[in-house]
Amino acid sequence: MTNRTADAFLFFRAWLSAPLRVASVTPSGRALSSLMTTEISADTGTVIELGPGTGVFTEALLNRGVAEENLVLVEYGAEFANQLNDRFPAAKTVRMDAAQLRKLPLHASAPVGAVVSGLPLLSMPLRKVHAILEGAFSHLRPGGAFYQFTYGPRCPIARPLLDRLGLKATYIGWTFANIPPAAVYRISRRRPRSARTHPSESVV
């Protein structure tokens, strides 16, 4: 059994046992991984990944130049966490609920520049999504961003919640090459009212 086949089997088994916690029946594809990490580089600093699963986005982050020791992998599933420990020994793998992210014991050598989320936010209660975002931005440096993908037609984070937390969602792109097709959004802190939005960006 190849690694990719083994990963797909592990992912499917996890989805069967907890369909509301696992975003899909299969791991994300290369096209989505590339889109999710397109704005991230070695200069981003520490990257926190939420729900890395089998490590598809993790591999993409490494390919973008992020040092393995600058990765913090937050995974709730025991099987996934054990596999991540084996595959990425220099990264810090933490087994915890992402809703407790504010309590994450973080001793990073570089400021956190990005949070990459593979979590199924649409299937979560609003209060849990609130806790995840609040926790993520408690660690993110000024100018840092939270990246989220969705299989839905719009941003998976409701506008009232974005308003409450002083955040904005910017559409990054859509890929039909993924199964199922998916869109990616950048969630960031809002600028002062006097700051102008770049005309090429679509802000929610």
Side-chain angles (χ1 to χ4, degrees):
M1 185 181 292
T2 65
N3 284 342
R4 188 171 297 181
T5 302
D7 287 352
F9 178 74
L10 177 60
F11 216 89
F12 182 66
R13 188 170 61 186
W15 179 82
L16 284 176
S17 63
L20 295 181
R21 182 170 58 82
V22 181
S24 173
V25 298
T26 59
S28 298
R30 290 181 181 176
L32 178 55
S33 300
S34 178
L35 188 59
M36 276 287 281
T37 60
T38 189
E39 297 186 344
I40 298 175
S41 70
D43 297 329
T44 301
T46 296
V47 178
I48 298 174
E49 188 179 353
L50 306 181
T54 58
V56 177
F57 291 164
T58 315
E59 291 281 3
L61 289 166
L62 293 173
N63 290 336
R64 293 289 186 187
V66 179
E68 189 171 318
E69 57 269 24
N70 285 343
L71 290 174
V72 180
L73 311 177
V74 177
E75 175 56 57
Y76 185 78
E79 284 187 282
F80 286 143
N82 291 336
Q83 186 182 74
L84 291 165
N85 260 322
D86 292 339
R87 286 189 176 176
F88 310 104
K92 180 176 183 178
T93 300
V94 183
R95 191 184 170 208
M96 68 182 297
D97 187 333
Q100 302 297 315
L101 197 57
R102 183 177 279 275
K103 300 177 183 178
L104 178 68
L106 193 62
H107 304 288
S109 59
V112 178
V115 175
V116 174
S117 171
L119 301 174
L121 298 187
L122 285 174
S123 64
M124 295 180 177
L126 184 61
R127 64 182 180 277
K128 184 164 186 172
V129 178
H130 184 286
I132 291 169
L133 288 170
E134 193 172 49
F137 279 90
S138 73
H139 295 293
L140 276 166
R141 62 169 169 75
F146 182 105
Y147 295 91
Q148 179 67 46
F149 77 90
T150 181
Y151 301 127
R154 60 182 64 87
C155 179
I157 303 167
R159 179 61 184 267
L161 180 55
L162 292 171
D163 290 344
R164 191 183 313 166
L165 293 172
L167 303 174
K168 66 177 181 178
T170 304
Y171 173 76
I172 298 297
W174 181 272
T175 174
F176 288 96
N178 194 70
I179 301 175
V184 173
Y185 288 84
R186 180 201 323 123
I187 313 300
S188 56
R189 297 179 179 92
R190 289 183 181 172
R191 297 176 182 177
R193 289 179 179 271
S194 58
R196 295 182 179 180
T197 303
H198 192 279
S200 66
E201 293 185 338
S202 173
V203 178
V204 179

